[in-house]
Amino acid sequence: MSRRPVPAGAMRANHIWKRFRPDRKAKRLRTAMHYRKATQQGLRTKGRQWTWALRDIDFSVDPGESIALIGANGSGKSTMLKILSQVMYPHSGLMEVEGRVGALIEVAAGIHPQLSGRENVYIYGSLLGLSRKDVTRRFDDIIAFAGVEHAVDRLVKFYSSGMKMRIGFAIAAFLEPDILLVDEVLSVGDASFQRRCLERMSEVLAEGATLVYVSHDLATVEATCARAVWLDYGVMRADGPVRAVLTDYRQAIEERDKLELRADGDARIGEVVVCGPDGGPARTDEAFHVRLHVDAMAPMDATVFLGVSEGPSTPIFSVRHEVRLGDRRAIRCTIPSLPLPGGKYYVWAGIRGPRKDLLHWSPVANFEVVGPDLDPAPNGVVRMAPLYTRAAWDLE
Amino acid sequence: MTCRIFGLITLDVVDWRLSVGGPTVCGGDTVIEEFGARMPEQAVDNLGRPLAMHRYDAAAVPATPARELRYHHRFKLWRSLRELMHSGELIWSLTMRSFISSYKQEALGVGWAVIQPLLSMVVLLFLFHKVGKANTFGANAALFTYVGVLAWNFFSNNCDAGVGALIGNMTLLNKVHCPREVFPISSVAATGITTIIQSAVLVILFAIFRVMPSGTIVWAPILIVMMIFLTIGVSIMLSVLVVYFRDLRRIEPMVVQFGLFVTPVGFALNDPKFKIPHSWWGAISFINPMVPIIDGLRRCILFDQQPRWGLVGIGAISTAIYFFGGYILFKKIETGIADVA
């Protein structure tokens, strides 16, 4: 472990390890006695079970960098963030953090319901390390950012939950920290507040602060961060440019989520074949074919839905067609010009029966599109869906 | 003429030439370069430095960390005390928060701060002086009891508040880094404000009974400082212990209630009726420094006597042990708070 002095805004995680004991019941006397008995009888082989939440996390961040922590639930992102913010201490390794750390986190806890918005701004500000003078200087900005100008002197318990959240977030947003930690907070506010938060994050970055962003919203991750670290069940899988890491991450999710063709109900979807022009791979802006076999128990009128999604989440677009289903029907759908950039996608299929009940609506196959990358969006702007469109440009 | 750039974007140069109507291939080249310059995108970080992709093999990570990596939280007493000194503003904010919020929205508001010790005084007067016939050595029984109640309330209310100081702010503590001892310390300060208000009642009681406090009251500040340090020590110790051992939440009120009767709150230490042997006084003072403090306060406020310095000295040693012991214990085991809660 080298021990060079660290400039403000820098962070270095040196081989961080952290473990937890899930069975907190062992702390209780009754359980302790039970364990003792079990030990005496030779039933218990091992002591308390420790599980590693983080194993050998090692990376360093320079001042002014923007880095995202991504990973599935339970992969150790929040634990890492707690160690970063020095609330939790590692089991092994060393966390070096230099400079003032500001955290944009779910903060309802720090807001006292019995006090007015004004009082809360001051108290919460000092909790985050702002002096009274600093808060006074930024008070109007904070209140405007939170959008609670009309309710400053109202007790916070009469605020809506969105207002409460926004006021906590606004104080943290005006911390002027050296390091800004953002943990999955954007999901709480409404669209305009989310946009303000993203703008504020970009501003803080432009002022030279370091940004650490934890989110499941991969689109905002890509928009705000240049670099990403992917945690997978407590170990680092990748560290590098955000797009490359996200590609690896998405691929891993796809491999993990086995696509299943469900075989229940009155109709079921059998084999699904996806191809591009002339039976080759799918290509951007060229013809795209989906062929699926549908088995129905009895002949019926139904609507077949097809959709395409990027991750295994909501589809980007969908098409539908009304057909008469029978025994082993093959349905072929052609999209003359596929509006997708190069990448990996899922095909979704669904059938709505005569009683208007949806029989299946889930990813049934995955495919790869050969084609150009989507041009990157300007930073701070969230790309909504990967839709490719032709563009002609001229210079005059 | 259609021109493909890197096989990715198709530019209709014919259209372009029509729309611009300018020079032919040369103009087209310019456009192509515009695109060409941007296309081979090298990933860079915010500072414009190239960013390399590192992939790691999860299977290559050992199952347990190497022994020499083990992290030991080094506790430096003076450094943490200095950090505490710098959080004065935070302590003040939290103090005001708990003080304001505890009396807000109650019809009587701060009035409760006054009523509560007066009621305990009446109960103790009845118990010890009406029923128990305790000896006040010539002092006014109400004043005699109120001085005891004032000091004891400060201590016992802080024990109660200390228990909740950390566990009541757990969600916050798990998110924001700050010296955690500010929570119990600010709850002591909030109780302190209440005690100051209650002391005003003592002044009024003096006026009502037409008694002047004795001149030896100049010794009282020493005892009060001692009481504050003792209370902080006990309070921070309780606040961190209860995180690991929740049962303490139930035990603490019982111990404090019991303490009311083994501390000379309603009676005098040297009351012949209760027959506390002289030889025990030192030991009692060591275990419970509130004994010499209350006894001393009463002597110097009501009886024009100096505190019993011997007992106060024993109490001071024990107070130092409570304070530094409590503080060191707090700093030692606070590292695990986020893991448990």
Side-chain angles (χ1 to χ4, degrees):
Chain A
M1 266 179 247
S2 64
R3 288 283 184 83
R4 281 179 288 122
V6 192
M11 279 180 296
R12 196 181 301 156
N14 281 319
H15 302 280
I16 300 284
W17 291 72
K18 182 74 192 173
R19 63 179 184 178
F20 291 112
R21 194 165 35 193
D23 186 14
R24 296 306 308 179
K25 277 186 287 185
K27 275 276 166 196
R28 272 163 49 186
L29 189 63
R30 197 159 32 129
T31 331
M33 267 153 33
H34 170 79
Y35 270 145
R36 207 172 139 192
K37 217 167 165 184
T39 315
Q40 283 162 355
Q41 292 166 353
L43 293 175
R44 197 168 62 113
T45 48
K46 268 168 103 180
R48 290 164 288 192
Q49 295 288 314
W50 292 92
T51 46
W52 290 100
L54 290 176
R55 286 160 59 209
D56 208 30
I57 306 299
D58 192 78
F59 63 91
S60 67
V61 184
D62 289 328
E65 270 198 271
S66 61
I67 183 167
L69 294 180
I70 57 169
N73 285 333
S75 58
K77 299 188 298 294
S78 297
T79 308
M80 194 61 220
L81 210 61
K82 277 183 184 168
I83 290 175
L84 281 179
S85 57
Q86 291 166 297
V87 170
M88 197 178 263
Y89 297 87
H91 170 269
S92 290
L94 190 65
M95 186 72 229
E96 292 169 276
V97 178
E98 209 51 48
R100 179 150 78 177
V101 180
L104 291 194
I105 38 171
E106 178 269 309
V107 282
I111 303 294
H112 201 291
Q114 292 282 23
L115 301 177
S116 74
R118 184 185 301 275
E119 287 162 330
N120 265 307
V121 167
Y122 279 100
I123 288 165
Y124 195 66
S126 65
L127 260 176
L128 296 181
L130 283 175
S131 71
R132 230 180 149 71
K133 217 168 63 212
D134 289 339
V135 179
T136 311
R137 189 156 54 78
R138 293 169 214 170
F139 189 79
D140 292 334
D141 287 340
I142 292 172
I143 293 301
F145 186 86
V148 292
E149 296 97 329
H150 57 285
V152 188
D153 292 307
R154 201 191 294 168
L155 290 191
V156 165
K157 67 174 175 180
F158 299 120
Y159 278 26
S160 74
S161 49
M163 281 160 84
K164 249 181 259 179
M165 191 278 311
R166 291 202 305 262
I167 203 163
F169 196 93
I171 300 159
F174 284 89
L175 262 181
E176 295 178 16
D178 297 312
I179 297 167
L180 184 67
L181 307 178
V182 183
D183 186 10
E184 199 73 87
V185 269
L186 300 177
S187 50
V188 200
D190 58 19
S192 94
F193 186 70
Q194 285 183 11
R195 188 178 44 74
R196 253 180 294 163
C197 289
L198 285 172
E199 274 167 17
R200 183 64 202 159
M201 274 159 70
S202 310
E203 270 172 49
V204 171
L205 260 178
E207 284 160 14
T210 312
L211 176 74
V212 180
Y213 185 42
V214 173
S215 182
H216 290 288
D217 183 355
L218 301 185
T220 50
V221 164
E222 195 174 335
T224 25
C225 297
R227 184 178 157 197
V229 168
W230 167 26
L231 297 181
D232 186 32
Y233 292 105
V235 294
M236 265 171 89
R237 288 287 297 275
D239 173 8
V242 67
R243 297 183 116 210
V245 176
L246 283 182
T247 309
D248 277 20
Y249 174 55
R250 287 201 179 103
Q251 204 171 328
I253 296 180
E254 279 164 24
E255 278 162 23
R256 210 160 280 167
D257 288 358
K258 281 268 170 280
L259 299 177
E260 48 176 335
L261 301 174
R262 269 184 286 159
D264 53 338
D266 294 338
R268 65 174 184 209
I269 296 170
E271 195 193 3
V272 180
V273 180
V274 179
C275 63
D278 314 322
R283 287 180 184 281
T284 300
D285 229 8
E286 290 183 37
F288 174 68
H289 310 281
V290 181
R291 197 182 141 91
L292 69 159
H293 290 276
V294 179
D295 265 347
M297 297 298 148
M300 61 170 171
D301 290 316
T303 312
V304 173
F305 290 79
L306 278 179
V308 170
S309 71
E310 198 180 20
S313 56
T314 329
I316 304 160
F317 65 82
S318 67
V319 289
R320 62 172 218 176
H321 191 60
E322 270 152 39
V323 287
R324 175 134 188 106
L325 292 180
D327 190 36
R328 277 201 75 78
R329 231 352 113 69
I331 301 166
R332 189 187 167 96
C333 172
T334 300
I335 294 168
S337 159
L338 185 66
L340 295 173
K344 299 196 165 200
Y345 298 92
Y346 288 87
V347 171
W348 290 49
I351 299 166
R352 198 161 65 184
R355 295 190 302 276
K356 301 286 175 205
D357 45 343
L358 201 58
L359 293 185
H360 308 269
W361 183 236
S362 55
V364 289
N366 52 9
F367 64 99
E368 198 167 347
V369 174
V370 179
D373 271 350
L374 205 62
D375 289 344
N379 270 353
V381 178
V382 180
R383 179 167 61 91
M384 296 312 289
L387 213 64
Y388 173 84
T389 176
R390 281 186 201 225
W393 302 66
D394 349 294
L395 287 180
E396 278 184 37
Chain B
M1 178 182 125
T2 305
C3 180
R4 272 200 116 130
I5 303 144
F6 293 107
L8 300 180
I9 288 183
T10 318
L11 254 187
D12 204 338
V13 179
V14 179
D15 265 352
W16 175 82
R17 209 190 289 161
L18 278 175
S19 62
V20 177
T24 52
V25 187
C26 184
D29 277 343
T30 319
V31 178
I32 288 165
E33 268 169 24
E34 273 287 304
F35 277 85
R38 198 165 50 80
M39 283 325 282
E41 203 188 326
Q42 161 71 40
V44 290
D45 66 5
N46 290 63
L47 312 169
R49 300 170 311 182
L51 204 53
M53 177 75 177
H54 300 280
R55 289 191 176 85
Y56 301 95
D57 183 11
V61 177
T64 48
R67 190 170 285 273
E68 67 271 15
L69 282 176
R70 192 80 168 87
Y71 174 77
H72 293 287
H73 184 66
R74 274 191 301 273
F75 164 63
K76 296 197 184 79
L77 181 64
W78 295 116
R79 221 178 92 190
S80 31
L81 279 176
R82 210 166 53 231
E83 195 187 3
L84 184 60
M85 290 300 150
H86 287 298
S87 353
E89 203 157 350
L90 174 57
I91 294 177
W92 179 243
S93 298
L94 287 173
T95 304
M96 288 325 283
R97 176 175 92 158
S98 48
F99 182 74
I100 296 172
S101 61
S102 62
Y103 292 115
K104 223 173 188 180
Q105 292 225 326
E106 288 168 7
L108 273 175
V110 184
W112 284 114
V114 177
I115 292 169
Q116 190 249 331
L118 281 176
L119 278 179
S120 347
M121 179 190 80
V122 169
V123 170
L124 288 179
L125 270 178
F126 179 77
L127 267 179
F128 286 100
H129 299 271
K130 197 86 191 161
V131 180
K133 300 270 182 255
N135 192 346
T136 62
F137 299 95
N140 179 298
L143 283 174
F144 178 92
T145 313
Y146 194 77
V147 170
V149 165
L150 203 54
W152 180 255
N153 262 11
F154 176 72
F155 179 76
S156 65
N157 287 347
N158 272 316
C159 291
D160 298 344
V163 163
L166 286 187
I167 52 174
N169 288 302
M170 224 61 231
T171 35
L172 192 59
L173 288 171
N174 283 340
K175 303 254 172 176
V176 181
H177 171 79
C178 56
R180 284 173 172 139
E181 59 273 26
V182 299
F183 289 94
I185 288 176
S186 68
S187 81
V188 171
T191 318
I193 296 176
T194 313
T195 307
I196 290 170
I197 296 169
Q198 292 167 349
S199 307
V201 177
L202 183 65
V203 176
I204 297 168
L205 284 179
F206 270 116
I208 290 172
F209 296 110
R210 299 183 185 284
V211 185
M212 280 293 282
S214 46
T216 46
I217 199 167
V218 292
W219 298 111
I222 295 176
L223 297 167
I224 290 170
V225 168
M226 205 171 119
M227 179 171 76
I228 291 170
F229 275 95
L230 172 73
T231 309
I232 291 176
V234 173
S235 178
I236 60 177
M237 190 161 25
L238 281 173
S239 71
V240 73
L241 284 177
V242 78
V243 174
Y244 294 90
F245 186 58
R246 294 280 170 137
D247 306 43
L248 208 57
R249 231 173 355 168
R250 315 266 175 221
I251 300 169
E252 179 271 338
M254 290 192 289
V255 173
V256 166
Q257 206 161 43
F258 181 65
L260 176 65
F261 297 97
V262 296
T263 313
V265 179
F267 56 93
L269 183 61
N270 52 343
D271 194 324
K273 217 172 150 65
F274 295 99
K275 295 194 192 86
I276 304 168
H278 259 269
S279 51
W280 288 17
W281 289 8
I284 293 171
S285 300
F286 188 78
I287 297 167
N288 180 5
M290 282 309 284
V291 172
I293 290 172
I294 292 177
D295 177 62
L297 279 174
R298 220 174 248 149
R299 281 167 72 94
C300 67
I301 294 175
L302 299 174
F303 295 111
D304 200 20
Q305 289 169 336
Q306 298 215 348
R308 288 180 230 264
W309 291 117
L311 294 186
V312 171
I314 293 173
I317 293 166
S318 146
T319 296
I321 293 172
Y322 275 113
F323 179 76
F324 286 105
Y327 188 66
I328 292 168
L329 177 80
F330 186 95
K331 292 309 269 184
K332 285 265 180 201
I333 67 176
E334 93 173 326
T335 53
I337 286 178
D339 300 2
V340 195

